[in-house]
Amino acid sequence: MVMKVDPSKKWSGPVRSYDIIKEGVIAVVVVALLAAGLSLFFSSPDEKAVTLKSWANTNAPDFVQTATGELAGTTTSAGYGAPYNHAAKGPTLGPLKLQDWAGVRIPVDPATSFVTEPLAIFNDPAANDAVAAWNAASADQQGKWANAYAEALGKATDAVSVSDTANAFGPVPDMVSALLVMAKTGALDGALTTSDTPLPTNFTKPLLFLADSEGYFGELAAAQHLGGDQWGVMNETGSWPGQSWLWLFSLWYQVEPFKSSGNADTLVMTLMGFLTLCLALFPVFPFIRKLPYKIPIHRLIWKKWYARKL
Amino acid sequence: MSSSTASKNWTARLRKSTLESMEPEDLLPDTQPAYVASWIYVFGVLTIAALVMLIATGLVLTLEGPAWWHVSSVGHFWNSMHLWSVELFFVFMVVHLWGKFWMAAWRGKRTATWVTGVIAFMTSIVTALTGYLIQTNFDSQWIATEAKDGFNAMGIGAFFNTLNTGQAILLHVALLPLVVGVIVVWHILLVRRKGVVPPIDNDATIEGGAF
């Protein structure tokens, strides 16, 4: 006999013995033992954090090149837009300028925040004079100096400074060299983390500066297979399993049209938002909600119950 | 109190929708419908057990601060326990979710149970992300600089700054566990109140096409 029931009504058919508290306690003990076993055997990764100090001491040419790029306005941070500055409108979603509309709520002007402000508190008369000369110049002149020096550094292999034979670099070499000295001592890390509050809890400025590096931060990440083309943030440093909940986000960055899109972040985040909404709305999608009936995996789940009826 | 007065009384309405909507046996049952006999049912309680472990190991990690696990082998062990509990939590939750999908577990006016489960899943992902941001190591630095672009692109980064470790710590340790906890409790109460969805072919409403 097939027993038809209304699933919205309280079950009044046959029952079996059950102890919800005992089940819960056993489950916690099992998971605790599993986690303890995995922890003892595999531990967890802990790749030491990097600093502006370690960057300057490990790859000084890259530090100098990046700092010059901050003055020239050619780094990622310098051209980012909201929420840091007004340098760009940022990615858009059709007519929606979500990034721009949110506004500049975390002001960061890389040339000022990463270079001139820290140098202003650095006890170096030559650096202070160089900053004064920089600040007195027009934006156009500043750009010419910084771009000329960036170009000269780019032509010189692994150089931390280039002689100004044509008198084209202005105060830029002095500023960048002083910033390198400051960074090597660790003073720049302190300056950037305490520029807003004396006790640091916010690492926006040093991390943005580090992320502008092309020859240090990114290469360290690539060595740990954390690059965007290596499934990015889904991976874990070392040989530990990645973050299972991020695979779907990382997946889209590996396939077209997202892979080659300059607007990938907006597209992927929008797609994930849409997919999440779809997941929540499965019960009302006509096709999706019928799938469990058409593909009878429930026959396996309730195998004992169906056998019992026969 | 007249019924119309009672319907406007917030306390009476709360009592009716909570305490009076459920028998004590629904909340703490000692029997189950006979069809609740499959390994797939284990993954719901395993997800809750992993959440209990996450809260317990997280509380241990709060005792000595975010840098403790870098300098202490005991701290590193508890960090490992926390990490592996996260991995187990998501594996169990995803298996539970797929199991419920193939059971069409939203039948019988259980849509809210399904939706609260999806919300719990998504808030857990945000909580896990903030956990990775507060590791205070290279991994957290890289994730913070990568994830910022996604949030900034949607205008969220102006309010949730992945590079602000202090903000991420407070979100991960205080606000988000509270949100996940409330949603999970709500989800469990809905499950207990509505009962476990019966097998599909026992569903009398299938033939009429209604759910």
Side-chain angles (χ1 to χ4, degrees):
Chain A
M1 185 186 81
V2 175
M3 185 170 54
K4 293 286 186 183
V5 296
D6 181 346
S8 65
K9 295 284 192 301
K10 194 171 181 177
W11 177 254
S12 56
V15 295
R16 66 180 182 83
S17 180
Y18 176 59
D19 189 338
I20 194 171
I21 297 298
K22 189 176 176 184
E23 181 189 68
V25 171
I26 291 172
V28 170
V29 171
V30 167
V31 174
L33 290 174
L34 262 176
L38 289 163
S39 301
L40 289 170
F41 276 106
F42 299 111
S43 188
S44 53
D46 188 18
E47 197 69 28
K48 196 175 177 185
V50 294
T51 59
L52 301 173
K53 180 182 177 181
S54 65
W55 178 20
N57 282 298
T58 308
N59 193 341
D62 183 61
F63 178 89
V64 167
Q65 188 83 47
T66 308
T68 308
E70 305 293 6
L71 290 172
T74 55
T75 60
T76 303
S77 298
Y80 200 94
Y84 310 122
N85 47 58
H86 296 286
K89 292 293 178 189
T92 58
L93 181 63
L96 306 177
K97 300 171 186 170
L98 299 175
Q99 181 165 325
D100 192 45
W101 288 345
V104 179
R105 295 193 76 248
I106 309 166
V108 178
D109 172 8
T112 307
S113 303
F114 302 163
V115 185
T116 60
E117 278 182 358
L119 285 176
I121 61 168
F122 191 42
N123 189 20
D124 179 343
N128 295 341
D129 289 346
V131 170
W134 172 268
N135 288 336
S138 66
D140 183 53
Q141 181 61 62
Q142 289 173 343
K144 284 179 181 170
W145 284 335
N147 279 307
Y149 194 51
E151 191 179 337
L153 284 169
K155 287 177 181 170
T157 308
D158 290 339
V160 294
S161 64
V162 177
S163 298
D164 192 5
T165 51
N167 199 23
F169 308 148
V172 173
D174 285 342
M175 292 167 70
V176 173
S177 295
L179 196 72
L180 178 65
V181 172
M182 195 178 177
K184 281 185 171 180
T185 63
L188 186 58
D189 287 292
L192 293 196
T193 50
T194 58
S195 59
D196 297 324
T197 54
L199 291 177
T201 58
N202 185 349
F203 297 88
T204 300
K205 288 177 182 172
L207 283 175
L208 282 176
F209 193 7
L210 265 171
D212 284 335
S213 152
E214 291 180 2
Y216 180 67
F217 198 53
E219 285 191 3
L220 286 176
Q224 296 283 346
H225 49 81
L226 297 172
D229 57 351
Q230 300 167 300
W231 288 75
V233 296
M234 182 197 158
N235 287 331
E236 189 60 85
T237 53
S239 301
W240 277 263
Q243 299 153 40
S244 58
W245 41 275
L246 271 175
W247 74 268
L248 194 53
F249 286 87
S250 293
L251 167 72
W252 302 115
Y253 287 95
Q254 317 304 316
V255 298
E256 299 293 355
F258 310 100
K259 189 177 178 181
S260 58
S261 171
N263 207 16
D265 288 312
T266 309
L267 296 176
V268 170
M269 292 293 278
T270 304
L271 178 65
M272 288 304 295
F274 174 73
L275 291 177
T276 302
L277 189 63
C278 289
L279 182 65
L281 296 177
F282 270 7
V284 296
F285 280 160
F287 174 71
I288 297 284
R289 72 177 188 178
K290 292 282 185 187
L291 271 182
Y293 297 88
K294 297 181 187 301
I295 305 172
I297 292 175
H298 62 270
R299 284 269 154 202
L300 290 174
I301 294 171
W302 288 303
K303 188 170 61 178
K304 290 179 185 170
W305 175 253
Y306 295 132
R308 178 183 177 279
K309 284 195 299 180
L310 296 172
Chain B
M1 188 182 287
S2 69
S3 61
S4 63
T5 308
S7 68
K8 291 176 184 171
N9 185 299
W10 291 8
T11 307
R13 285 167 65 178
L14 179 65
R15 185 182 65 232
K16 192 175 179 184
S17 63
T18 54
L19 302 178
E20 293 176 10
S21 69
M22 210 182 306
E23 301 290 334
E25 294 77 22
D26 295 330
L27 194 61
L28 292 171
D30 55 8
T31 61
Q32 283 270 52
Y35 55 79
V36 183
S38 166
W39 276 101
I40 197 70
Y41 288 108
V42 172
F43 288 91
V45 71
L46 282 176
T47 307
I48 296 167
L51 181 60
V52 169
M53 281 303 298
L54 277 171
I55 293 167
T57 54
L59 287 174
V60 173
L61 288 169
T62 64
L63 295 175
E64 295 276 351
W68 178 43
W69 74 284
H70 300 303
V71 295
S72 157
S73 56
V74 176
H76 198 136
F77 172 75
W78 284 106
N79 179 76
S80 302
M81 286 284 283
H82 198 63
L83 172 84
W84 285 106
S85 296
V86 175
E87 299 281 3
L88 293 170
F89 175 75
F90 278 102
V91 169
F92 295 149
M93 191 190 263
V94 169
V95 174
H96 172 68
L97 190 154
W98 279 109
K100 292 300 162 189
F101 173 75
W102 293 113
M103 293 181 201
W106 48 77
R107 287 173 295 130
K109 299 178 182 173
R110 289 176 178 80
T111 301
T113 313
W114 174 270
V115 172
T116 51
V118 172
I119 295 171
F121 182 42
M122 299 318 296
T123 49
S124 296
I125 286 177
V126 179
T127 310
L129 173 69
T130 54
Y132 275 96
L133 293 177
I134 66 170
Q135 293 177 98
T136 55
N137 60 11
F138 180 71
D139 197 31
S140 62
Q141 289 179 307
W142 180 256
I143 291 172
T145 55
E146 290 290 288
K148 80 177 192 307
D149 295 328
F151 288 108
N152 286 340
M154 302 307 288
I156 301 168
F159 308 94
F160 168 44
N161 179 10
T162 60
L163 307 174
N164 184 341
T165 310
Q167 184 187 28
I169 288 176
L170 290 176
L171 286 173
H172 185 74
V173 177
L175 182 64
L176 289 169
L178 188 67
V179 173
V180 171
V182 167
I183 295 168
V184 168
V185 167
W186 185 13
H187 182 71
I188 293 169
L189 287 176
L190 285 171
V191 172
R192 296 315 325 159
R193 187 165 75 174
K194 300 297 293 184
V196 181
V197 72
I200 280 179
D201 294 340
N202 276 358
D203 189 344
T205 58
I206 295 171
E207 290 164 0
F211 296 90

Short mmCIF file of all heavy atoms in Angstrom, two decimals, chain A residues 233-278:
data_model
loop_
_atom_site.label_atom_id
_atom_site.label_comp_id
_atom_site.label_asym_id
_atom_site.label_seq_id
_atom_site.Cartn_x
_atom_site.Cartn_y
_atom_site.Cartn_z
N VAL A 233 43.30 33.43 -4.69
CA VAL A 233 43.11 33.38 -3.24
C VAL A 233 42.53 32.06 -2.76
O VAL A 233 42.47 31.81 -1.57
CB VAL A 233 42.21 34.53 -2.76
CG1 VAL A 233 42.86 35.87 -3.02
CG2 VAL A 233 40.84 34.47 -3.41
N MET A 234 42.09 31.22 -3.68
CA MET A 234 41.56 29.93 -3.23
C MET A 234 42.67 29.06 -2.64
O MET A 234 42.44 28.23 -1.77
CB MET A 234 40.91 29.20 -4.39
CG MET A 234 40.30 27.89 -3.95
SD MET A 234 39.96 26.78 -5.26
CE MET A 234 39.94 25.26 -4.31
N ASN A 235 43.89 29.25 -3.15
CA ASN A 235 44.99 28.41 -2.70
C ASN A 235 45.48 28.80 -1.32
O ASN A 235 45.27 29.91 -0.85
CB ASN A 235 46.14 28.49 -3.70
CG ASN A 235 45.84 27.75 -4.97
OD1 ASN A 235 45.09 26.79 -4.94
ND2 ASN A 235 46.42 28.20 -6.07
N GLU A 236 46.16 27.86 -0.71
CA GLU A 236 46.79 28.09 0.58
C GLU A 236 48.29 28.12 0.34
O GLU A 236 48.78 27.50 -0.61
CB GLU A 236 46.40 26.93 1.51
CG GLU A 236 46.78 27.10 2.95
CD GLU A 236 46.13 28.32 3.57
OE1 GLU A 236 44.99 28.23 4.03
OE2 GLU A 236 46.80 29.36 3.60
N THR A 237 49.05 28.85 1.18
CA THR A 237 50.50 28.81 1.05
C THR A 237 50.98 27.40 1.38
O THR A 237 50.32 26.67 2.13
CB THR A 237 51.16 29.82 2.00
OG1 THR A 237 50.67 29.59 3.32
CG2 THR A 237 50.85 31.25 1.60
N GLY A 238 52.11 27.02 0.80
CA GLY A 238 52.62 25.67 1.04
C GLY A 238 51.79 24.63 0.32
O GLY A 238 51.20 24.89 -0.73
N SER A 239 51.73 23.43 0.89
CA SER A 239 51.03 22.32 0.23
C SER A 239 49.71 21.97 0.91
O SER A 239 49.21 20.86 0.76
CB SER A 239 51.94 21.08 0.22
OG SER A 239 53.13 21.39 -0.46
N TRP A 240 49.16 22.87 1.68
CA TRP A 240 47.91 22.60 2.37
C TRP A 240 46.73 22.75 1.40
O TRP A 240 46.84 23.47 0.40
CB TRP A 240 47.73 23.56 3.54
CG TRP A 240 48.47 23.12 4.76
CD1 TRP A 240 47.95 22.42 5.83
CD2 TRP A 240 49.84 23.32 5.06
NE1 TRP A 240 48.94 22.18 6.76
CE2 TRP A 240 50.11 22.72 6.31
CE3 TRP A 240 50.91 23.93 4.40
CZ2 TRP A 240 51.36 22.71 6.91
CZ3 TRP A 240 52.15 23.93 4.99
CH2 TRP A 240 52.37 23.33 6.23
N PRO A 241 45.64 22.05 1.69
CA PRO A 241 44.47 22.18 0.80
C PRO A 241 43.94 23.60 0.80
O PRO A 241 44.04 24.30 1.80
CB PRO A 241 43.45 21.20 1.41
CG PRO A 241 43.90 20.99 2.81
CD PRO A 241 45.37 21.15 2.82
N GLY A 242 43.43 24.01 -0.35
CA GLY A 242 42.93 25.37 -0.49
C GLY A 242 41.63 25.58 0.24
O GLY A 242 41.12 24.69 0.94
N GLN A 243 41.11 26.75 0.07
CA GLN A 243 39.88 27.13 0.76
C GLN A 243 38.69 26.70 -0.09
O GLN A 243 38.37 27.33 -1.08
CB GLN A 243 39.89 28.63 1.02
CG GLN A 243 41.07 29.04 1.89
CD GLN A 243 41.51 30.46 1.66
OE1 GLN A 243 40.69 31.34 1.49
NE2 GLN A 243 42.81 30.69 1.66
N SER A 244 38.05 25.62 0.33
CA SER A 244 37.03 24.98 -0.51
C SER A 244 35.89 25.91 -0.87
O SER A 244 35.29 25.80 -1.93
CB SER A 244 36.49 23.74 0.21
OG SER A 244 35.95 24.11 1.47
N TRP A 245 35.59 26.86 0.02
CA TRP A 245 34.46 27.75 -0.20
C TRP A 245 34.76 28.83 -1.23
O TRP A 245 33.90 29.61 -1.59
CB TRP A 245 34.03 28.39 1.12
CG TRP A 245 35.19 28.82 1.97
CD1 TRP A 245 35.91 28.06 2.84
CD2 TRP A 245 35.80 30.11 1.99
NE1 TRP A 245 36.92 28.79 3.41
CE2 TRP A 245 36.87 30.05 2.91
CE3 TRP A 245 35.54 31.31 1.34
CZ2 TRP A 245 37.69 31.14 3.18
CZ3 TRP A 245 36.34 32.39 1.61
CH2 TRP A 245 37.40 32.29 2.52
N LEU A 246 36.04 28.92 -1.67
CA LEU A 246 36.39 29.98 -2.63
C LEU A 246 36.57 29.47 -4.05
O LEU A 246 36.84 30.24 -4.95
CB LEU A 246 37.69 30.66 -2.19
CG LEU A 246 37.53 31.85 -1.24
CD1 LEU A 246 38.88 32.36 -0.79
CD2 LEU A 246 36.77 32.98 -1.92
N TRP A 247 36.41 28.14 -4.25
CA TRP A 247 36.72 27.61 -5.58
C TRP A 247 35.81 28.19 -6.66
O TRP A 247 36.26 28.46 -7.77
CB TRP A 247 36.66 26.07 -5.59
CG TRP A 247 35.28 25.49 -5.53
CD1 TRP A 247 34.60 25.13 -4.42
CD2 TRP A 247 34.41 25.20 -6.64
NE1 TRP A 247 33.36 24.65 -4.74
CE2 TRP A 247 33.22 24.68 -6.10
CE3 TRP A 247 34.52 25.35 -8.02
CZ2 TRP A 247 32.14 24.31 -6.90
CZ3 TRP A 247 33.43 24.98 -8.81
CH2 TRP A 247 32.28 24.46 -8.25
N LEU A 248 34.57 28.42 -6.31
CA LEU A 248 33.64 28.91 -7.33
C LEU A 248 33.97 30.36 -7.73
O LEU A 248 33.85 30.74 -8.89
CB LEU A 248 32.20 28.80 -6.84
CG LEU A 248 31.11 28.96 -7.89
CD1 LEU A 248 31.32 28.01 -9.06
CD2 LEU A 248 29.74 28.72 -7.28
N PHE A 249 34.42 31.16 -6.73
CA PHE A 249 34.86 32.53 -7.06
C PHE A 249 36.08 32.47 -7.98
O PHE A 249 36.14 33.15 -8.99
CB PHE A 249 35.22 33.30 -5.78
CG PHE A 249 34.03 33.71 -4.95
CD1 PHE A 249 33.50 32.86 -4.01
CD2 PHE A 249 33.46 34.96 -5.11
CE1 PHE A 249 32.41 33.24 -3.24
CE2 PHE A 249 32.37 35.35 -4.36
CZ PHE A 249 31.85 34.48 -3.41
N SER A 250 37.07 31.65 -7.59
CA SER A 250 38.33 31.58 -8.34
C SER A 250 38.13 30.99 -9.72
O SER A 250 38.83 31.36 -10.66
CB SER A 250 39.35 30.74 -7.56
OG SER A 250 39.72 31.39 -6.38
N LEU A 251 37.17 30.08 -9.84
CA LEU A 251 36.93 29.40 -11.12
C LEU A 251 36.69 30.39 -12.24
O LEU A 251 37.28 30.29 -13.32
CB LEU A 251 35.71 28.46 -10.98
CG LEU A 251 35.14 27.92 -12.29
CD1 LEU A 251 36.08 26.87 -12.89
CD2 LEU A 251 33.76 27.31 -12.09
N TRP A 252 35.83 31.37 -11.98
CA TRP A 252 35.42 32.29 -13.05
C TRP A 252 36.61 33.09 -13.60
O TRP A 252 36.62 33.46 -14.77
CB TRP A 252 34.32 33.24 -12.58
CG TRP A 252 33.12 32.49 -12.10
CD1 TRP A 252 32.62 32.45 -10.83
CD2 TRP A 252 32.26 31.63 -12.88
NE1 TRP A 252 31.53 31.62 -10.77
CE2 TRP A 252 31.28 31.11 -12.00
CE3 TRP A 252 32.24 31.25 -14.22
CZ2 TRP A 252 30.30 30.24 -12.43
CZ3 TRP A 252 31.25 30.38 -14.65
CH2 TRP A 252 30.30 29.89 -13.76
N TYR A 253 37.59 33.39 -12.72
CA TYR A 253 38.75 34.16 -13.17
C TYR A 253 39.64 33.35 -14.12
O TYR A 253 40.53 33.90 -14.76
CB TYR A 253 39.59 34.61 -11.96
CG TYR A 253 38.94 35.72 -11.15
CD1 TYR A 253 38.18 35.43 -10.03
CD2 TYR A 253 39.09 37.05 -11.52
CE1 TYR A 253 37.58 36.44 -9.29
CE2 TYR A 253 38.50 38.08 -10.79
CZ TYR A 253 37.75 37.76 -9.67
OH TYR A 253 37.16 38.77 -8.94
N GLN A 254 39.40 32.02 -14.20
CA GLN A 254 40.24 31.17 -15.05
C GLN A 254 39.62 30.96 -16.44
O GLN A 254 40.24 30.35 -17.30
CB GLN A 254 40.45 29.79 -14.41
CG GLN A 254 40.75 29.80 -12.92
CD GLN A 254 41.95 30.65 -12.55
OE1 GLN A 254 42.96 30.60 -13.21
NE2 GLN A 254 41.81 31.45 -11.49
N VAL A 255 38.36 31.37 -16.63
CA VAL A 255 37.68 31.09 -17.90
C VAL A 255 37.21 32.39 -18.56
O VAL A 255 37.01 33.41 -17.89
CB VAL A 255 36.45 30.16 -17.67
CG1 VAL A 255 36.90 28.82 -17.12
CG2 VAL A 255 35.43 30.80 -16.74
N GLU A 256 37.08 32.31 -19.88
CA GLU A 256 36.57 33.46 -20.64
C GLU A 256 35.07 33.58 -20.44
O GLU A 256 34.40 32.58 -20.19
CB GLU A 256 36.90 33.28 -22.12
CG GLU A 256 38.38 33.20 -22.44
CD GLU A 256 39.13 34.52 -22.18
OE1 GLU A 256 38.49 35.53 -21.84
OE2 GLU A 256 40.35 34.49 -22.30
N PRO A 257 34.50 34.77 -20.52
CA PRO A 257 35.13 36.04 -20.86
C PRO A 257 35.77 36.75 -19.66
O PRO A 257 36.36 37.81 -19.83
CB PRO A 257 33.95 36.86 -21.39
CG PRO A 257 32.80 36.38 -20.58
CD PRO A 257 33.04 34.91 -20.35
N PHE A 258 35.65 36.16 -18.49
CA PHE A 258 36.15 36.83 -17.29
C PHE A 258 37.68 36.96 -17.30
O PHE A 258 38.24 37.96 -16.89
CB PHE A 258 35.70 36.08 -16.04
CG PHE A 258 34.24 35.77 -16.02
CD1 PHE A 258 33.76 34.52 -16.37
CD2 PHE A 258 33.31 36.76 -15.67
CE1 PHE A 258 32.42 34.25 -16.37
CE2 PHE A 258 31.96 36.49 -15.67
CZ PHE A 258 31.50 35.23 -16.03
N LYS A 259 38.33 35.88 -17.80
CA LYS A 259 39.79 35.79 -17.73
C LYS A 259 40.48 37.00 -18.38
O LYS A 259 41.44 37.53 -17.84
CB LYS A 259 40.23 34.49 -18.44
CG LYS A 259 41.69 34.13 -18.27
CD LYS A 259 41.95 32.79 -18.95
CE LYS A 259 43.41 32.41 -18.88
NZ LYS A 259 43.64 31.11 -19.55
N SER A 260 39.97 37.42 -19.52
CA SER A 260 40.63 38.51 -20.25
C SER A 260 39.92 39.85 -20.07
O SER A 260 40.30 40.83 -20.69
CB SER A 260 40.72 38.15 -21.73
OG SER A 260 39.42 37.93 -22.25
N SER A 261 38.90 39.87 -19.23
CA SER A 261 38.14 41.11 -19.06
C SER A 261 38.82 42.04 -18.07
O SER A 261 39.29 41.60 -17.01
CB SER A 261 36.72 40.79 -18.56
OG SER A 261 36.06 41.99 -18.21
N GLY A 262 38.87 43.31 -18.41
CA GLY A 262 39.39 44.31 -17.48
C GLY A 262 38.39 44.61 -16.39
O GLY A 262 38.68 45.33 -15.43
N ASN A 263 37.21 44.06 -16.53
CA ASN A 263 36.11 44.32 -15.59
C ASN A 263 35.75 43.03 -14.84
O ASN A 263 34.62 42.88 -14.38
CB ASN A 263 34.90 44.82 -16.39
CG ASN A 263 33.99 45.69 -15.57
OD1 ASN A 263 34.39 46.18 -14.51
ND2 ASN A 263 32.77 45.87 -16.02
N ALA A 264 36.74 42.12 -14.72
CA ALA A 264 36.45 40.78 -14.19
C ALA A 264 35.88 40.81 -12.78
O ALA A 264 34.97 40.04 -12.47
CB ALA A 264 37.73 39.93 -14.22
N ASP A 265 36.40 41.70 -11.93
CA ASP A 265 35.94 41.71 -10.53
C ASP A 265 34.44 42.00 -10.45
O ASP A 265 33.70 41.34 -9.72
CB ASP A 265 36.72 42.76 -9.73
CG ASP A 265 38.15 42.31 -9.48
OD1 ASP A 265 38.33 41.17 -9.06
OD2 ASP A 265 39.07 43.11 -9.73
N THR A 266 34.00 43.00 -11.20
CA THR A 266 32.58 43.34 -11.19
C THR A 266 31.75 42.19 -11.75
O THR A 266 30.71 41.82 -11.17
CB THR A 266 32.32 44.59 -12.05
OG1 THR A 266 33.22 45.61 -11.64
CG2 THR A 266 30.90 45.07 -11.90
N LEU A 267 32.22 41.61 -12.86
CA LEU A 267 31.45 40.54 -13.50
C LEU A 267 31.35 39.31 -12.60
O LEU A 267 30.27 38.72 -12.44
CB LEU A 267 32.10 40.17 -14.85
CG LEU A 267 32.11 41.26 -15.91
CD1 LEU A 267 32.86 40.79 -17.16
CD2 LEU A 267 30.68 41.66 -16.28
N VAL A 268 32.48 38.93 -11.99
CA VAL A 268 32.48 37.73 -11.14
C VAL A 268 31.63 37.95 -9.89
O VAL A 268 30.83 37.08 -9.51
CB VAL A 268 33.93 37.33 -10.76
CG1 VAL A 268 33.93 36.25 -9.69
CG2 VAL A 268 34.69 36.85 -11.99
N MET A 269 31.79 39.10 -9.26
CA MET A 269 31.01 39.36 -8.04
C MET A 269 29.52 39.42 -8.35
O MET A 269 28.68 38.93 -7.58
CB MET A 269 31.46 40.67 -7.38
CG MET A 269 32.86 40.62 -6.82
SD MET A 269 33.04 39.53 -5.39
CE MET A 269 32.44 40.57 -4.06
N THR A 270 29.16 40.01 -9.49
CA THR A 270 27.76 40.09 -9.88
C THR A 270 27.22 38.70 -10.17
O THR A 270 26.11 38.34 -9.74
CB THR A 270 27.60 40.98 -11.14
OG1 THR A 270 28.16 42.25 -10.86
CG2 THR A 270 26.13 41.15 -11.50
N LEU A 271 28.01 37.91 -10.90
CA LEU A 271 27.58 36.54 -11.22
C LEU A 271 27.38 35.73 -9.94
O LEU A 271 26.38 35.00 -9.81
CB LEU A 271 28.63 35.87 -12.12
CG LEU A 271 28.32 34.42 -12.51
CD1 LEU A 271 27.07 34.35 -13.37
CD2 LEU A 271 29.50 33.79 -13.24
N MET A 272 28.32 35.85 -9.00
CA MET A 272 28.20 35.08 -7.76
C MET A 272 26.98 35.53 -6.95
O MET A 272 26.31 34.72 -6.32
CB MET A 272 29.48 35.22 -6.93
CG MET A 272 30.66 34.47 -7.50
SD MET A 272 30.34 32.70 -7.76
CE MET A 272 30.09 32.15 -6.09
N GLY A 273 26.72 36.83 -6.97
CA GLY A 273 25.52 37.32 -6.29
C GLY A 273 24.27 36.74 -6.92
O GLY A 273 23.33 36.31 -6.23
N PHE A 274 24.27 36.70 -8.26
CA PHE A 274 23.11 36.16 -8.99
C PHE A 274 22.94 34.66 -8.69
O PHE A 274 21.83 34.19 -8.44
CB PHE A 274 23.32 36.38 -10.49
CG PHE A 274 22.27 35.76 -11.36
CD1 PHE A 274 20.99 36.30 -11.43
CD2 PHE A 274 22.55 34.64 -12.11
CE1 PHE A 274 20.01 35.72 -12.21
CE2 PHE A 274 21.58 34.04 -12.91
CZ PHE A 274 20.30 34.59 -12.95
N LEU A 275 24.06 33.93 -8.72
CA LEU A 275 23.98 32.48 -8.45
C LEU A 275 23.51 32.20 -7.03
O LEU A 275 22.76 31.25 -6.79
CB LEU A 275 25.36 31.83 -8.69
CG LEU A 275 25.83 31.79 -10.14
CD1 LEU A 275 27.23 31.18 -10.24
CD2 LEU A 275 24.86 30.99 -11.02
N THR A 276 23.94 33.03 -6.10
CA THR A 276 23.50 32.86 -4.71
C THR A 276 22.00 33.09 -4.60
O THR A 276 21.29 32.34 -3.91
CB THR A 276 24.24 33.87 -3.80
OG1 THR A 276 25.64 33.65 -3.94
CG2 THR A 276 23.84 33.68 -2.34
N LEU A 277 21.53 34.12 -5.28
CA LEU A 277 20.09 34.39 -5.28
C LEU A 277 19.32 33.21 -5.89
O LEU A 277 18.28 32.79 -5.36
CB LEU A 277 19.82 35.68 -6.07
CG LEU A 277 18.40 36.23 -6.01
CD1 LEU A 277 18.05 36.64 -4.57
CD2 LEU A 277 18.25 37.43 -6.93
N CYS A 278 19.87 32.67 -6.97
CA CYS A 278 19.24 31.50 -7.60
C CYS A 278 19.19 30.33 -6.63
O CYS A 278 18.17 29.63 -6.54
CB CYS A 278 20.02 31.08 -8.86
SG CYS A 278 19.83 32.23 -10.22
#
